[in-house]
Structures are given as structure tokens and as C-alpha cells.
Amino acid sequence: MATFLYKLGRLSFRRRHFVALIWVALLTLAGVGAASAPAAGNSSFSIPGTEAQKAFDLLEQRFPGTSAGGATARVVFKAPSGEKMTDPGNKATVQDTVKELSDGSEVVRVTDPYQAKAVSKDGTIAYAQVSYKVSGMELDDAAKDALKDSAQDARKAGLTVEIGGDALQAVPHTGSSEVIGIAVAAVVLVITFGSLVAAGLPLLTALIGVGIGVSAITGLASALDLGSTTSTLAMMIGLAVGIDYALFIVSRYRAELAEGREREEAAGRAVGTAGSAVVFAGLTVVIALVGLSVVNIPMLTKMGIAAAGTVAIAVLIALTMIPALLGYAGRKVKPMGEKGKLLGRAKKQDELGEQGRPAKPNLGTRWARFVVRRPLAVLLLGVIGLGAAAVPATSLELGLPDDGSQPTSTTQRRAYDLLSEGFGPGFNGPLMVVVDAKNSDDPKAVFTETGDEIKKLKDVVTVTPAQPNKAGDTATITVIPGSQPSSVTTENLVHGIRDAGADIKADTDANVLVTGSTAMNIDISEKLNDALVPYLVLVVGLAFLLLIVVFRSILVPLKAALGFLLSVMAALGAVVAVFQWGWLSGLMGVEQTGPVMSMMPIFMVGVVFGLAMDYEVFLVTRMREAYVHGEKPAQAVVTGFRHGARVVTAAAVIMMAVFAGFIGSSESMVKMIGFGLAIAVFFDAFIVRMAIVPAVLALLGRKAWWLPKWLDRALPNVDVEGEGLRATSGDDDGDRELVRV
């Protein structure tokens, strides 16, 4: 592989005009496609195979024309102190508002609170429900403005009016913090390279790669039913890995220049060596992201594949466009050890400093020597620290976001609180029971029996009469729990209804299904929990085999996988502490704590595993390169840190800055993932890879690089260390004795 990538790097350097033209053309094509594509609506959310999804599909089939997927709004009214909503003046105001809401062209129906008995027992709170033909993301601005104006008119009459539901759903924005994250990345690159030109190359190529990826996602969003979160997460991951991959190749290029090689040769060698690590690091990320499809949740699958495509583009750009741009930059990119005018006078670092004294070892070398001298203490400290950070994960609670997770400053949250006040905490999470009596002899009797059985269950406040369809073979029953949607009591009620439904089916051959947002939440949590172990086995197993090929070792990939588990558990613990317990919530802009997003654990496992293997590959390949060329195991660890620690540190800081930039998003899931990935990179890069990894390698010694001879013969030689380049070029290093591992 190294030889092929070496030739690709030299070709891209020589044919830089052609390479640059191809990438600019792809960016233009993707941009035009995104601009001309129809606007995407809100991505549909489905969970194939679950009872809640089966019930929803049955509703679409048996109750046609009800716009089950359309947006809804609950306009909640509260009477002034000392008054009631049934007072003539307040009643007239509400009825005028209902009439005004009914005039919208996209409105299907509006329920009158007085006819629908949607007035609280104390008479102080009432609500009108508005149903629309299209989803909240597709609802035009005129309809949203009309909704807001009608509420404002009622407020002028003295009522407190708030609006809940998804009709006011807006496209999430990330805020200025995303720009700050990129700015921090730029500063780190300038400090690392000491040159604006060298620092600008990773940023430029990362932005081009993300531009192509996100534009392609935007262009295909309508056809493939991709939500706005898909492009945001692809941008997040694409920016981070795009900058990092380019950083490693530019750093290796500068190191090759420092050894006296010509620029074209240096570009080829940089792509052949660091580029090999980029390919395998990118493969682990792609495997982890594409592996999300095993969960069989379409939205999660699409997010993973879209992000994986952006990562693949980042790898291709790093391998081709970086050497092309290095050709354009010429002497403006300095050899390693030389600083440009930006950071001071040019200075060349040799093995000897001034007056023949040995040069002072860099920080990476000094740290590696410290770890090698005290490996057991460093290992124990790192493991105990990450274990302590992971403790909050033991109280992890999963849920889907609703209006109750919105900031208290929003009208959606205030409407949620008013409904809880007037109708009880379970009113915001009603359960819809669908009774399919098509195969039953007496459907009406089945509907009545089902309602009676549900009334006998604990924590049931209200059971509405069955509402049959036109054919009379299917009916819906709304159940209001006594507890809030995310409580264990409500979850037990859902299971209780399903158990009662199993008995009814045995007696009448009728299917009783439970759906609604609360039931959907329970089903998705169970589905994700069931899929987590198979997903870990698949992704970690494939990456383990890949790393065996890369490192030609059994224990090094095993150590990498165990280190990942430590970092991801610690990161989940941090997410629970901030978003569920409320620690540092003000600093992170979390106005409302609550359950962690149901998809968060498995998504973090996928993404963090891929990113963790990035640093493993980049850092440990340098150690293996030194070891196979004759250095002792402990010295190889020090050599790997001398060459790679600074660059890995810069890459980790950049990735943390990019992820942290998304904490300012208005989308709670994006905010949570941004924080979770940023803290996970910190744990993995600075504690696992920088402390635990060298400590374990120092303790294992030569055993770390052991591989059975039969497996050594069976595995393909991918030549990540670039040994083929040394042999073909006749370098002095090529005459050194190799260590068989």
C-alpha cells in the first residue's frame, strides 16, 4: 500500500493543476445540485419491527386522510387569576381564536375546547388542538405566523396563551460557537506549523471536503428523506477528521523535507507513510459509522452512512489534494524545525544544539520517558481516573426529546407546563391504543372490552371511548397516564396494556397495539439496548481484524479496544453528569436537564470508536516503525512520541474545538453529541493514548508485538511503515536489520 500511495502522492504533486481542477469541479457540481434540489422536509422517524411502528402503520392504512404525519399545535389558554375559562368573555375569546385558526389553507381541523371537553377540572386552563396537512418543517411561514398572531390576539384580551407541538419546529442552528471552534483549530495549526500557508492547507482541504459532502447530502435530502441533523453531524465529523488527516500528512511532509529530500519526493513519502495511517484510520471510522445500520433504525442508518461518506471524501482529499497544494505552496511550507517569519527568526533544529551540546528533548520525548520509567503507576492512575468519570453512566436514563426538554424561555415549554398543571403530568404523553378487530366476530364488543381492561390497570387517569373507523373493524382509544412520560411508572403501564392485549387476542383474535411518543420512546430504548452488544461485536471485531493487519500484533489491537471502552464509558458518564444531573449545565447552555437522547449511547460508541482508532493508528504506527527497524521496545515508545506526540496533541485539540463548537446548537441532540464527542476525544487522546497506551506497551515489552508465525504468513503485508519505500530508494535506513514480529 505504501508504494501505491507514494506514487499517488508524487503524481498529485506533479499534476497538481489537474487534481485541483477535479476537486473544484466536484465542489461546484455538488453546490449546484444542492442549490437546485427541492427543499427537504422533516425526516420521517420510524422504527421497523416495533409494536409502536406497527400501530402507526395500521393507522395510516385504516384511517386514511387523517394526516397522521402532519404537524400539530396545541394552543393552551389560561384564565386570569380569579377567573375561569368558562366565563362568557374568555369563552368568546377562545372561540374567536379557534375560528381564526380554522381559516388557514394548510389546516385540516381545529378542535373547540368546549366541544372536545378540553377544559381542566378547575376551569382555569383549556386547549385547542390544530392539525395540519404537512409536517412542521414543511409548514410555510405564513401558517406559522397566523398561529402566532392568533395567540397574540388572545393575549391582548387578557388570557395567558402558549403554543406547544411541532408546528413551530424550526431548522436547527449551531450559532457562532461553531465558527469559534474552527478559529481555535486555525490557531492550533499556526502554532504547530509556524506558518500561515502550512496551517491553511488542512483548513482549506477540510472545508472543501465538508462542502462536497454536505452539499451532496442537501441535494439528496428530499429524495432520500434525510433530516437536517444528518448534514449537521456530517459537517461535525467531516471537519474534525478532514483537518486531522491533512495535518498528519503535512507534518510528515515537513519531516521528510528536514531530512533533505526534494519536495516531490517528500510529498510522495508523506502520502506513502502518513497516508497509509490515514487510510486505515479512515477505514475504522467508516466501519463504525456504517455499522450503525445493524440497529435497523432508518434515521440512524442514514446519519451514519452520510457521515461515513464525508469521512471517505476527507481521506481522498488528504491523499490527493494535500500533495497538490504542497506543490503550489513550494518553499512557503518550511521543513520541520524551521519557523517562518510569523513566529520568529528561522531556526534549524539538529541533533546538537548550540556549541555542540545535545538539544533539549521535546515535551513528547520527556513525557514518554517518564511513562516508560513508571508504567504501572501511570496505568493505574489513568484507569482509576476514567473509572471515576464513568460512574455517572450507571444511572443513565434514556428518552426522546419533547417539549418538556425545551428551555423554559420557549412557548413550547410553557405550554407543556400549563398542560401538566391543568390536566396532570401524564397528559403530555398520551398513549394511543389501536384495536384491530378485523378478524373478530364482534368488533364493538372487543372495543368495549379493551377499554374496560385498560381502566383496571394502575396509573390510568382517563380512557376515552373507542373511536372506530368507517369500516368499523379498527378503533383507537386514548389513555392518559397519571405519571409523566419519562417515568418508570408510565413504562410499566405500557407493558401492562400490552400484556392485557395478549389476553384479549387469545380470547377474540383481535390485535391490541400501543403507540404514541411515549410508547415509541420505550420501544426505541429497548431496540437500541438489544442492538448494542451485536453492534459492538461487529464493529470492534472488524476493526480488531483490521488493526491486526496494520500492527501485525494480537495484544496491541486488544489493548486499543479495551482503551476505547474506558474512554467511551467515561464520556457517557460526563454526558449524564451534565445533561441529566445538571453539573456545569449553565456553562454548557443546558437550560433543562432530563433523560439522555435514546440514540446517544450507540451513536457515541460508533463515532468515538472510529476516532479512538485514529489516534491509535497515528501514534502506534510510529512506534512500530521504530521497533521493526531495530530499536528496543521501550525506546520505540519514546521515538514514537518524539515524532508523533505533538501532532497527535494538535489533532486532538483541533477535533475537540470543532466538536465543542456544536455545543451552541439549538438542536438538543446535536448539542449533546458535540459535548459527548469533545469530552470523549479528550479522554481518549490525552489519557488513553497518551498515558495508558505507552504504559501498557512498556509493561509488555516485546510481547506487545507478538504474532503467531502461521498468522504472520497468512496476513497480507500492507506495509504501513513504508519499508518498501526504503528498499526501492536505497536509504541508509534500508540497510538496518529488521526485527521480525
Side-chain angles (χ1 to χ4, degrees), residues 238-249:
L239 270 177
V241 300
I243 294 174
D244 277 9
Y245 294 166
L247 167 65
F248 281 103
I249 291 179

Side-chain angles (χ1 to χ4, degrees), residues 416-489:
Y416 182 96
D417 292 340
L418 283 176
L419 289 171
S420 296
E421 177 188 341
F423 301 92
F427 191 79
N428 284 294
L431 305 175
M432 179 173 287
V433 179
V434 182
V435 184
D436 179 9
K438 190 172 185 178
N439 298 325
S440 178
D441 296 333
D442 189 355
K444 289 184 179 181
V446 173
F447 301 155
T448 302
E449 180 185 352
T450 302
D452 292 340
E453 290 297 321
I454 293 174
K455 290 176 183 177
K456 298 176 184 178
L457 300 175
K458 294 181 180 179
D459 200 48
V460 174
V461 174
T462 304
V463 178
T464 65
Q467 301 293 322
N469 61 350
K470 290 182 179 181
D473 58 6
T474 307
T476 60
I477 300 173
T478 301
V479 180
I480 306 297
S483 304
Q484 61 184 8
S486 59
S487 67
V488 176
T489 307

